[in-house]
Every structure is written in structure tokens, then in C-alpha cells.
Amino acid sequence: MAPIRLAMVQTNPVVGAISANLDEIFAQVRLAAAEGAKIVVFGEMATTGYPIEDLAQRESFVVAAESAIAALATRLSDAGLGNLYVLVGHPALASEPNGWAIAQNSASVLHGGKVIGRYAKQHLPNYSVFDEYRVFVPGTDALTFEVDGTRFGVLICEDIWQSGGPVAMLRDANIDVALVLNGSPFELGKQATREDLVTGLAADLDATVVYVNLCGGQDDLVFDGASLAAGPDGKVVARARAFDPDRLVLELEGNKVTKVEGNHHADASDLALVWRALEIGLRDYVNKNGFPSVILGLSGGIDSAVCAALAVDALGPDRVFGVSLPSRYSSDHSKSDAFDLAARLGMQIRTEAIGDMVQVAEDQLKLTDLSAENLQARIRGLTLMSLSNSEGHLTLTTGNKTELAVGYSTIYGDSVGGYAPIKDVAKTMVWELAKWRNSVAEAMGQVGPIPENSISKPPSAELRPGQLDQDSLPEYDLLDALLEKYIDERLGRAEIIAAGFEPAVVDRVIGLVDRAEWKRRQGAIGPKITGMAFGRDRRHPITNRYREI
Amino acid sequence: MAPIRLAMVQTNPVVGAISANLDEIFAQVRLAAAEGAKIVVFGEMATTGYPIEDLAQRESFVVAAESAIAALATRLSDAGLGNLYVLVGHPALASEPNGWAIAQNSASVLHGGKVIGRYAKQHLPNYSVFDEYRVFVPGTDALTFEVDGTRFGVLICEDIWQSGGPVAMLRDANIDVALVLNGSPFELGKQATREDLVTGLAADLDATVVYVNLCGGQDDLVFDGASLAAGPDGKVVARARAFDPDRLVLELEGNKVTKVEGNHHADASDLALVWRALEIGLRDYVNKNGFPSVILGLSGGIDSAVCAALAVDALGPDRVFGVSLPSRYSSDHSKSDAFDLAARLGMQIRTEAIGDMVQVAEDQLKLTDLSAENLQARIRGLTLMSLSNSEGHLTLTTGNKTELAVGYSTIYGDSVGGYAPIKDVAKTMVWELAKWRNSVAEAMGQVGPIPENSISKPPSAELRPGQLDQDSLPEYDLLDALLEKYIDERLGRAEIIAAGFEPAVVDRVIGLVDRAEWKRRQGAIGPKITGMAFGRDRRHPITNRYREI
């Protein structure tokens, strides 16, 4: 039996851009065919992008996607590529709707100008950021097909994360190769779990498992590619790039991979992966939504410095505009550190002193204390939004996860903006990322982008003389450790205290987190990098009088 | 067989306030006992309030609720009420967690100081605003119990909205009375559907069906009470109050109701129901979150006038603070209409002219055209938030559903605030509500709260000289009809055009709706009154290039 060549293709689709996504799929099939591939496998919902959320409940949308798939089959055939087997994900109308859910999360096999097989995902994730039970009808049947004597089976993402169902069906069907289409977003530590899952499945099925993921950013998710294949011996045999589009070709003989072209394997540190996820998330939000550039306030502090460095890495220095917004309380170093940062990054910076605007409002409204502090933050927000409106930039808001957790921000002030690049990054990790990014630059003989001073000085909102974050918050090391317990691990008060935290600090921090829910609800989206991001991942009521004692 | 007396009790729990909620339940049982009730039925999750969202995934929370239920059983018994059968809803730990879901949506029968039976909801709603498949593990078993020869069965809310499962189990069990605990939020037209469902179920089961709902506001939902009972002849035999807490007593003989004490039946118009829902939603958000008062900008226009009238109905005039925020473009009538409104409502009003604040920012930032218009709205927002900060009011934002749909608002400007009272009310209905509210006042010999001028003048944002909403938007009658097709009915472009709308207008409006998603995502919550509210009800991606052609 001659070996069969199979191409794994991870694309970066744009949600809703069906025609452009299919042009890219067509182009990739043509390239794969030129490389001798007989079978080409794309990711979950590569046709429409993923997740499509409630677009799946719009009949016209689902029909458009299905029609596009039929047209792709014809187009491939017309281009002389009808002899290939192309497996691509898309939504399809369910034969029996289930309430609001009218579609299935599907994958079609295109061959000979037709759809010769269609599979619908059976296990629908409905936890974390996923609402698939809301928008899809689960499938019930397995799909297998044979090419030159090799038997293939099809699965979609969550199908392999839960026991029973489609995996058992494929086990019974004695397939040689399982093709798994995925839309699996990045999260720290997840790739190891995926590899365990895929290698375990390969051994279980006595088959090669081909796992194809998407890549690119979509709103608050970043798909990190890193597609892989594992053989029946439970070993990984092929790896695609992390985060970027990629195509690699396997040679299959029976249930084994005998050759790989385009293999990649780069061990990266957690910080390197996080940086890349943040960079891709920012880049794709800006580009997929058609913004020419971004604008952000540069305070001289670590958060805005890291956001600026990310933006320059993502978009280049010409598309990043910084504004120094000094008040009467701003220290000299806050201004000089901001200009130092901009110079290191090669980005633009201008100064808009907020003193006059603050003064006239403060005098008229007779503001003092906290309301006067908030006023400064809001005048800064107003200034950035005005420049965004008049010059067309997307405004970035630079708050980190720790601030969001405890509500240490001014709503409609420093929180203004359409995208929050470090929303899911705890303060302690912001510092680590800054040091890591500088070390990478230095290792390449470049100047580190982030001023040492921004890393080393004690953080301050500079809304009153001599103010430091640590005047009103616990030390960040302690605070982040406590937040991890409460938010990520969902522990109760007693368990957190048992883990060694002071009861008074626990009560204070839990209270801050709960009371800040209304602000978080009005916050910008930003890329998820942890197992529990604020937003779709954690849905708490605003009105909530629960207080553990 | 002597008749059995059963009390239906609809309470207004506060989410998370377990102890206070149980105090109220205890007090109601005592009152019901004094009225001779042997059985007392409360609503779904009356213990914790509803919906608890991801609090259901916190083990400490679920354990606290379960412990409170056990304590309530003891407390009832200690108070000499152990001979009653009390049926109350609460979360309980599932014996087998399902991923992130660790709890079941449960109801316990308390008797003799103990929990003598527990039921777990089998059909979990996971559409519209509900995410129950996310947070709960479905139950599998029916619960029946017998009191003095009458057989009761227990169901929870969605159980009766779907066929099969628990209803079929109760049919097989030949019960006399089905007790249904509900947390069913208000939506225009829903009560008729509920009555059809309950009467149909009673006839189907040849039993009396006792349907007990919650009442009160919880974030973006308003539970409208209106509990009811229907007999095996398929007729409604008892109705509780709409929206307010209530208790009524049925006398049961076998499967029939022979007497009702406390029956209510008040036919109310759609506008009356909507007004009440908006009023309760606002009142409970303010009170349950502990705000002393609310503040809002009064422009002289219809939206802020209706919001102010709602706030005064909900909280009384002493807790409502209005601010006239005139700019150089504000007409004389906008100021005089605002003061007229405040006088009619007996609420406070002050003037904060924004001219000086706008001027200094406009000059410094060199703003013109749209960015200068947005600036005015943002200075108004900043002013309201400053007064909120310094005086402790909750800020109300007065945007209506039509504006939110097409993005006709300034983010961080007129959108600032923690609660949006008319967020789900289309502009055309805002006018209807104003006229209705005035007519009610006039029918009672009072002055209508809303100035006629605010109702009759053409709407304008007054951000430039002579500006009218209709300069940049289609007529509101047409616009609301089109939005209904696109948003509520989820029709595609071709279907909307086929319904008689101009293609160019359809394209323009659909484009506006899609592009405003990012603003809506950062908007305040407000009460749902339609079948498709913005927020949890409609989850669309921000990054979305889908454009129908």
C-alpha cells in the first residue's frame, strides 16, 4: 500500500468573513496539493471563524456558511483538485432544532466537487468561555471514510475532552487515523494537557491522531495553533507552529506516520508564550476590526509600558501613539520615564497636560478627595477618547488583572478603551513580562524596550501627592496569591485562611472583588491567558449580598 | 377526607443574602400556619435568590445554602411548625459533578425538623438569559410525597416548559397536585404563555398545578410573581399579585381546589406591566445594592423624563436628583422642560452648565465636528460621575433600546452609569409609556409627571445647532420596526427587504447595529422586558465581518 500524504493546515480565519476565509482555504488546498497531499485537514469552524456565538442562531448566517461550503467543493473540482479529500469545519442547519439552537458544529469532507460526508460535534462545551449547548444541537453519528484502503474518522474538539460517545464509536469502527478539528484557545499550561490527551487517544484507538487547531485572535480569545499528530505508540510525531498559520505534511502508512515535512518544535517559556498570546490578541483585534492605529496613555508606570511594548511588537512603532497626561501630582520621573519608553520603542509620544481641564471642573463641581482623584483619571480618559475620535485610533486601556479584581481603577477614567491588552495578567506577572521582554532584547544586543525605572519604582496612580498603590492595597505578591485562591481556585474564605492568609486581609480583598463586579461588567475585552479570566469565563451577579463568615 | 390547606408564597429574595431570605421564609411559614396551612410552597431558589450564576460553582456557597436549609428545618420544628410541609428551592451539591457544574437546582421538603425529600431540576434552560447547563447538573429522579392521603409531586420551572422527563414521571405516579417552583422573569406577553402551560399541564396530569414564582428585580431581570393555580379541568383557579410579594391559601380536596383565600386578578395593559417591571427593576437594583439615591441628567427630552418619572415612582422624590447640563447648543426649552419635569415630580434639580469645561478641553485638544460633539456628552458624563462620587448617588443612564441598537450615543458620555432603566425599551415605546403614565395621573386627578413638550417635540441630542435625531437616523417608527425584524426575529437582510423595507435602509441599519456591539458590551445593565434584550440575551461577537448581501 502506497503511503498517503495528508496536510494539516492551521489558518487564522476572521469571524464572519466567510468569503475571505474560504479563499485562504482554497489557496492552502492548492499548495497542499502541490506538495502531494491527498487529504487536507483544517480547524474547527475554519469557514466562519470561531466562536461565532449567537450568529449560530441566525438562519441566514448558517445558510450562507453551508452554501459557501458547497461552492468550495465545486471550486476545488473546477480547479482540478476534486481528487483530494478536504475536511473543513463550518456550521450547518440541524434537522431538528433544539429551542434557540438551530445549527450543528459540523465538518464536511469535500471530494469530487461534492460534500461526501458530514459530521456534527457530539460533545458541546458549555463551561468556561464556551456556550455551545446554547447555540448548537449535538450530533449523534460517527463519520468515517476510506481513502486508498486507509480508514479515517472525524472528531471535533470537545469530543476528545469527554469520555464516551464519538471516541467509542471510532474505536468500534477500527479506524487507522482520527482527524480532530479544533478551536482551542490559549491558556497557560494547556498545551501539555492537549498533548497528553492526543497521545492517550492515539494509544487508545491504536491509530494516528491528527489534531488541527486554529490560530489568531478573536475578541477575548487567542487560538494558539500548535497543531500536532501522535502515533498509536502514544508518541507525538509532528508539531506545527504555535500562534502562526502553518501547514505541515504527514506521510501515512496504515495507522502510522512514516514521514513529516514542516515539523516544528520550539520549547518556549511560559512568559514567552504569554507575551506572544497578548501580542497576537492585540494585533488581530486591531487589524480584524480595521483600526489604523492605537493610542494609549503613558504614565511612566509598568502597566502602560508593557502595553506599549506589546503594541509596538504587534503593530510596529508607526501605528502606536502615546500620550503623556501629567497632572500637578505627576512626578518628574513619570514624564521622563514615559518619554524614555517611547524613545526605546521608536513610537510617537506627545504631552497633554490635564491641569487646566482638571482645574475648571474641580472648581465648578467643588470636588475633593476621592472624587477629585477620579476626576483626574476621567479627564485623562476623555482626552484619550477625544484624540481617538479625532484621529481614528483605537484606545487601549492598560489595567491589569489585579486592578480589575479589586476595582483599583476609575470607571470611565483609566478604564476607557476598546481593548485591554493585559486584562488577564496579574500585576506580579506584568513585572515578570517586562523583565523577560527586556532580557530577550538584550540577548539580541538591543536596548530593552522598558525603562528599568518603570520596572523598579513602587507603583503609584499619582492622583495625590506621594500616593502609592501599597497605601491602599496589600503587597502585590500577597494580593495576587490570594486572588488566585479566590478567583481561579474558587476557594471559600475558610479555605483561604486555612492556606495561611490573614482573616482581615481575606475579608477585605474578597469584599473588594465582589463590589467591583459592576465595573468589570463595563470593562473592555482583553485576551484570556489564564484558566479563569474576567468576562465570559467568570459570570457573577452584580447584586450579590453573599459574604462568607 | 378533610380538605388540606396549602399556602403559595412568592417572596422577593436578595441574591446571596441567605440568612435574610430564610428569615423571610420562616416568617411567611409562621403566617401561613396561622392561616391553617399544612403545606407551604416557595419559589425556585428562594433561599439564595435567583439566578446565582457562577456562585453555583463555588462549593462554599452551595454548602452554605444547604446548611441553611437544614437549619431552617430545625428552626421550624423548634418553633412548633414541624408538622407543616415546607417546600423551598435552593442549590445542593451534586453527587456527581459535571465538569465545572457541581450543584443541582434543588427543592427540599422540610417536615418534622428534617429534610424528608429533595428534588433536582431535570430540564435546565440554556438559552436566552439562562446558563443553567453551565452551572447545574441535571437531576434524574421524580419526587412525590403524600400528606393526609393526597399525593404531591414536585417540579422546577423549565421542567414544565419541555416535554418528557419529570412531567411524564409524575403522570405515571398518579399525583393529585403538582407543585412547581419557578424563577421566571418578566417579558411582555409571557403570562399568557405561562397560563396556557399551567392549565394544559393540569389537564394532562388530571391534577391541580400550583405554580409559585419569585418576585422582585435581580440585575437585568425582573421576576413578576403572578403565581397561579389551575385545576384538572384546565381552568385557572387562583392568581397571586403581579410583581409584589404575596401569599394565598388554597383548600384542596383530592385533585381539586375547593376554596381560595387571597385571590387576585387585575388585568393590566402591556404598558402598565412594562412600567411596573421597569419600576421594580430600578427600585430593587438601588435598594439591594444599598444606594441611598440616584442621580441623572435631565435634558428636557423624553428619555430622561421617563427615567426620572420611573425613579420617582420607584424611590420617591427625595431619593432622585436631577441635573440640567446645558451647553451652548441647548435650547431654552430643554432647560425649562427639565425644570418643569422636576417640579411635576417634586424631585431636586440643579444646573451645571458645561460650557467652561467644554471650552477648555475643546481649545486644548483642538476638537471639531464629531469629536467636539462627543466631548460635550463626555463632560456631562464626567459631571454626573463626579457628583455621584462626592454625594453617593447611583448614576442612571437614560439611553433607550433603539439608541443602543444603532450606537446613537457617546461611550463614556451619555452612557455613564450603573443602571439603565429603559435599556430594553424601544424609542417608540418610550413615548407610549410617557403618554400612558400621564394618562394614569390625569385619571386620578393629578398632574401628568411628564411635560407635554418633552413628549411632542422632535428628539435631539442638541450637540450642535439645530441638530435632530432624524437627521442621521430613519424615522423612529420605521427604525423600531426594522430593528424588531433584525434583532428580535433574527431575520436576515433578504427577509427584511421582502417584508417591505428599503434595501439601502436595511443595509445602513444592520451595519450600525453590528458596529455598535463593542459599545453595548461596555454598557450598564438594565431590566429585560422583551423577548430579546441586549446583554445576556443576545451574545454576538465584536469582531465580526459578516455582512449579508
Side-chain angles (χ1 to χ4, degrees):
Chain A
M1 195 160 70
I4 299 178
R5 289 170 68 86
L6 178 151
M8 303 166 58
V9 188
Q10 64 190 33
T11 59
N12 180 356
V14 178
V15 162
I18 297 174
S19 170
N21 295 338
L22 285 191
D23 283 350
E24 177 62 16
I25 288 170
F26 178 82
Q28 289 292 329
V29 173
R30 194 191 280 278
L31 291 168
E35 291 163 347
K38 188 84 184 261
I39 298 163
V40 190
V41 185
F42 293 90
E44 180 176 13
M45 292 275 175
T47 303
T48 54
Y50 179 80
I52 56 173
E53 306 186 49
D54 285 1
L55 288 171
Q57 298 177 350
R58 299 194 75 88
E59 189 173 341
S60 54
F61 181 87
V62 179
V63 168
E66 277 196 72
S67 308
I69 285 293
L72 175 65
T74 307
R75 184 175 172 195
L76 288 168
S77 174
D78 289 350
L81 301 166
N83 61 320
L84 275 73
Y85 294 79
V86 176
L87 179 61
V88 59
H90 62 91
L93 285 179
S95 54
E96 294 183 41
N98 176 17
W100 289 25
I102 60 169
Q104 295 189 298
N105 182 330
S106 305
S108 288
V109 183
L110 313 184
H111 178 71
K114 296 203 173 117
V115 175
I116 62 158
R118 181 165 287 175
Y119 174 75
K121 190 177 183 177
Q122 298 187 36
H123 287 305
L124 301 176
N126 205 74
Y127 55 90
S128 179
V129 298
F130 303 108
D131 286 305
E132 291 212 355
Y133 197 80
R134 171 184 174 87
V135 297
F136 291 123
V137 178
T140 50
D141 302 324
L143 175 68
T144 60
F145 62 98
E146 196 170 314
V147 178
D148 300 345
T150 300
R151 289 176 59 77
F152 294 86
V154 178
L155 297 165
I156 302 180
C157 208
E158 188 74 6
D159 283 336
I160 69 167
W161 291 73
Q162 295 187 29
S163 55
V167 166
M169 292 175 183
L170 292 191
R171 197 187 296 114
D172 294 344
N174 281 316
I175 56 157
D176 298 304
V177 182
L179 307 173
V180 192
L181 294 78
N182 303 274
S184 179
F186 174 74
E187 175 181 315
L188 254 178
K190 196 176 190 182
Q191 184 64 7
T193 312
R194 286 183 195 138
E195 294 207 355
D196 287 349
L197 206 62
V198 169
T199 53
L201 180 64
D204 174 24
L205 293 177
D206 190 31
T208 284
V209 174
V210 173
Y211 178 103
V212 181
N213 198 9
L214 302 173
C215 63
Q218 167 60 25
D219 284 354
D220 50 352
L221 302 180
V222 181
F223 297 92
D224 56 328
S227 301
L228 69 143
D233 60 355
K235 298 228 166 72
V236 173
V237 293
R239 287 187 178 88
R241 284 189 177 85
F243 294 105
D244 290 318
D246 200 9
R247 183 181 66 253
L248 57 75
V249 177
L250 311 178
E251 229 167 74
L252 292 163
E253 295 188 48
N255 68 348
K256 293 192 181 58
V257 172
T258 49
K259 192 176 166 196
V260 180
E261 292 167 13
N263 206 1
H264 275 269
H265 187 49
D267 264 327
S269 69
D270 280 355
L271 291 172
L273 292 171
V274 168
W275 189 274
R276 191 90 176 106
L278 299 176
E279 181 189 333
I280 298 281
L282 171 55
R283 180 198 72 193
D284 281 5
Y285 187 81
V286 171
N287 289 342
K288 290 181 177 181
N289 285 290
F291 289 100
S293 49
V294 298
I295 192 167
L296 75 170
L298 299 181
S299 69
I302 188 70
D303 295 328
S304 57
V306 165
C307 286
L310 279 166
V312 169
D313 281 358
L315 306 169
D318 296 345
R319 297 175 69 191
V320 184
F321 294 78
V323 189
S324 170
L325 296 152
S327 77
R328 75 188 90 145
Y329 304 123
S330 295
S331 57
D332 288 341
H333 64 74
S334 73
K335 289 171 266 186
S336 58
D337 291 344
F339 276 80
D340 184 10
L341 171 78
R344 288 161 182 254
L345 290 169
M347 62 179 273
Q348 298 201 38
I349 182 169
R350 79 190 95 174
T351 298
E352 290 291 352
I354 62 170
D356 294 346
M357 293 184 278
V358 168
Q359 195 67 54
V360 65
E362 202 175 273
D363 290 349
Q364 175 171 340
L365 303 171
K366 300 173 189 60
L367 303 177
T368 55
D369 302 329
L370 187 63
S371 57
E373 293 184 27
N374 281 330
L375 173 69
Q376 296 170 60
R378 291 201 177 107
I379 291 285
R380 290 195 172 108
L382 178 151
T383 302
L384 290 172
M385 290 308 297
S386 293
L387 298 173
S388 158
N389 285 161
S390 57
E391 300 174 7
H393 320 291
L394 169 70
T395 304
L396 300 180
T397 173
T398 64
N400 60 64
K401 189 179 195 178
T402 310
E403 279 179 11
L404 274 162
V406 296
Y408 196 72
S409 66
T410 299
I411 190 164
Y412 322 125
D414 44 311
S415 70
V416 308
Y419 193 79
I422 57 171
K423 176 179 186 174
D424 197 30
V425 184
K427 185 79 177 185
T428 46
M429 188 184 270
V430 176
W431 276 304
E432 288 177 48
L433 284 171
K435 291 176 200 162
W436 172 85
R437 183 63 186 82
N438 275 1
S439 73
V440 169
E442 285 151 15
M444 294 174 12
Q446 300 166 349
V447 177
I450 299 168
E452 181 53 33
N453 205 24
S454 297
I455 299 174
S456 58
K457 67 183 169 189
S460 167
E462 295 198 331
L463 296 172
R464 59 172 185 267
Q467 181 181 36
L468 293 180
D469 291 9
Q470 246 57 109
D471 298 342
S472 43
L473 294 176
E475 292 288 335
Y476 279 116
D477 281 352
L478 176 77
L479 180 55
D480 281 347
L482 203 167
L483 290 170
E484 166 91 18
K485 299 262 174 236
Y486 186 57
I487 292 164
D488 298 65
E489 298 177 30
R490 286 175 267 193
L491 296 186
R493 176 183 183 273
E495 295 160 299
I496 299 172
I497 291 170
F501 293 87
E502 289 282 339
V505 176
V506 174
D507 289 340
R508 171 125 191 285
V509 170
I510 287 182
L512 289 171
V513 171
D514 289 353
R515 282 193 299 276
E517 183 59 31
W518 80 277
K519 283 202 228 177
R520 283 191 292 270
R521 214 64 92 71
Q522 295 191 31
I525 61 166
K528 169 182 165 76
I529 60 153
T530 71
M532 184 64 79
F534 290 122
R536 280 189 282 182
D537 229 1
R538 185 178 189 273
R539 306 179 190 177
H540 274 225
I542 296 174
T543 304
N544 170 19
R545 285 213 198 136
Y546 183 59
R547 296 293 173 265
E548 293 190 359
I549 46 168
Chain B
M1 196 160 72
I4 299 178
R5 289 170 67 86
L6 178 151
M8 303 166 58
V9 188
Q10 64 189 33
T11 59
N12 179 355
V14 179
V15 162
I18 296 175
S19 170
N21 295 338
L22 285 191
D23 283 350
E24 176 62 16
I25 287 170
F26 178 81
Q28 290 292 328
V29 173
R30 194 191 280 277
L31 291 168
E35 292 164 345
K38 187 82 184 263
I39 298 163
V40 190
V41 184
F42 293 89
E44 180 176 14
M45 292 275 174
T47 303
T48 54
Y50 179 80
I52 57 174
E53 306 185 49
D54 285 1
L55 287 171
Q57 298 176 349
R58 298 194 76 86
E59 190 174 341
S60 55
F61 181 86
V62 179
V63 168
E66 276 196 74
S67 308
I69 284 293
L72 174 65
T74 308
R75 185 176 171 193
L76 288 167
S77 173
D78 290 349
L81 300 166
N83 60 320
L84 276 73
Y85 294 78
V86 176
L87 179 61
V88 58
H90 60 91
L93 285 178
S95 54
E96 294 183 40
N98 176 16
W100 288 24
I102 60 168
Q104 295 189 298
N105 183 330
S106 304
S108 288
V109 183
L110 313 184
H111 178 71
K114 294 198 175 125
V115 175
I116 63 159
R118 182 164 285 175
Y119 175 74
K121 189 176 186 178
Q122 298 187 35
H123 287 305
L124 301 176
N126 206 74
Y127 55 89
S128 179
V129 298
F130 303 108
D131 286 306
E132 290 213 354
Y133 198 79
R134 169 184 177 87
V135 296
F136 292 123
V137 178
T140 50
D141 302 325
L143 175 68
T144 60
F145 62 99
E146 195 171 313
V147 178
D148 299 346
T150 300
R151 289 176 59 76
F152 294 86
V154 177
L155 298 164
I156 301 179
C157 208
E158 188 75 7
D159 283 337
I160 69 167
W161 291 74
Q162 294 186 27
S163 55
V167 165
M169 291 175 184
L170 292 190
R171 198 185 297 114
D172 294 343
N174 280 316
I175 55 155
D176 298 305
V177 182
L179 306 173
V180 192
L181 295 78
N182 303 274
S184 179
F186 175 74
E187 180 180 310
L188 254 178
K190 197 177 190 182
Q191 185 63 7
T193 312
R194 286 183 195 138
E195 294 209 355
D196 287 349
L197 207 61
V198 170
T199 53
L201 179 64
D204 175 24
L205 293 178
D206 190 30
T208 285
V209 174
V210 173
Y211 178 102
V212 181
N213 198 9
L214 302 173
C215 62
Q218 167 60 26
D219 285 354
D220 51 352
L221 302 180
V222 180
F223 297 92
D224 56 331
S227 301
L228 71 144
D233 60 355
K235 296 226 164 73
V236 174
V237 293
R239 288 186 177 90
R241 284 190 178 84
F243 294 105
D244 290 318
D246 199 8
R247 182 181 65 255
L248 58 75
V249 177
L250 310 178
E251 229 166 75
L252 293 163
E253 295 189 48
N255 68 347
K256 293 191 180 59
V257 172
T258 51
K259 192 175 164 195
V260 181
E261 291 167 14
N263 205 2
H264 275 269
H265 187 50
D267 263 329
S269 68
D270 280 356
L271 292 172
L273 292 171
V274 168
W275 189 274
R276 192 91 176 105
L278 300 175
E279 181 189 333
I280 299 280
L282 171 55
R283 181 199 70 192
D284 282 5
Y285 187 81
V286 170
N287 289 340
K288 291 180 176 180
N289 285 291
F291 289 101
S293 49
V294 298
I295 193 167
L296 74 170
L298 299 182
S299 69
I302 188 68
D303 295 328
S304 58
V306 165
C307 286
L310 279 166
V312 169
D313 281 358
L315 306 169
D318 295 346
R319 298 175 70 191
V320 184
F321 294 79
V323 190
S324 170
L325 297 151
S327 77
R328 76 187 88 142
Y329 304 122
S330 297
S331 56
D332 288 340
H333 65 74
S334 74
K335 288 172 266 186
S336 59
D337 292 343
F339 276 80
D340 184 11
L341 171 77
R344 288 161 182 254
L345 290 169
M347 61 178 276
Q348 297 201 40
I349 182 169
R350 78 190 95 176
T351 298
E352 290 291 351
I354 62 169
D356 293 348
M357 293 185 278
V358 168
Q359 195 66 55
V360 65
E362 203 176 272
D363 289 349
Q364 176 171 337
L365 302 172
K366 300 176 188 61
L367 302 178
T368 56
D369 303 328
L370 188 63
S371 58
E373 293 185 28
N374 282 330
L375 173 69
Q376 296 170 60
R378 291 199 177 108
I379 292 286
R380 290 195 173 108
L382 177 151
T383 302
L384 289 172
M385 290 309 297
S386 293
L387 298 174
S388 159
N389 285 160
S390 56
E391 300 174 8
H393 320 289
L394 168 71
T395 305
L396 300 180
T397 173
T398 63
N400 61 64
K401 189 178 193 176
T402 310
E403 278 179 14
L404 275 161
V406 296
Y408 195 72
S409 67
T410 299
I411 192 165
Y412 321 124
D414 43 313
S415 70
V416 308
Y419 193 77
I422 56 171
K423 175 177 186 174
D424 196 30
V425 184
K427 184 78 176 187
T428 46
M429 188 185 271
V430 176
W431 276 303
E432 288 178 46
L433 284 171
K435 290 176 202 162
W436 172 85
R437 183 64 187 80
N438 275 2
S439 73
V440 169
E442 285 151 17
M444 297 180 359
Q446 301 166 348
V447 177
I450 298 167
E452 181 53 35
N453 205 25
S454 297
I455 299 174
S456 58
K457 68 185 170 187
S460 166
E462 295 199 329
L463 295 172
R464 60 172 185 268
Q467 181 180 34
L468 293 179
D469 291 9
Q470 249 53 115
D471 298 341
S472 43
L473 294 177
E475 291 289 333
Y476 279 116
D477 281 351
L478 176 78
L479 179 55
D480 281 348
L482 202 166
L483 290 170
E484 166 91 19
K485 300 262 173 235
Y486 186 57
I487 292 165
D488 298 65
E489 297 176 29
R490 287 175 268 193
L491 297 186
R493 177 183 184 273
E495 294 160 300
I496 299 173
I497 291 169
F501 293 86
E502 288 283 338
V505 176
V506 174
D507 289 341
R508 171 126 190 283
V509 170
I510 288 182
L512 289 172
V513 171
D514 289 354
R515 282 193 300 275
E517 183 59 31
W518 81 277
K519 283 203 229 178
R520 282 190 292 271
R521 215 60 95 72
Q522 295 191 32
I525 61 166
K528 167 182 167 75
I529 59 152
T530 72
M532 183 64 82
F534 289 123
R536 281 188 281 180
D537 229 2
R538 184 178 190 271
R539 306 180 189 175
H540 274 223
I542 296 175
T543 304
N544 170 21
R545 285 213 197 136
Y546 182 58
R547 297 291 174 266
E548 292 190 1
I549 45 168

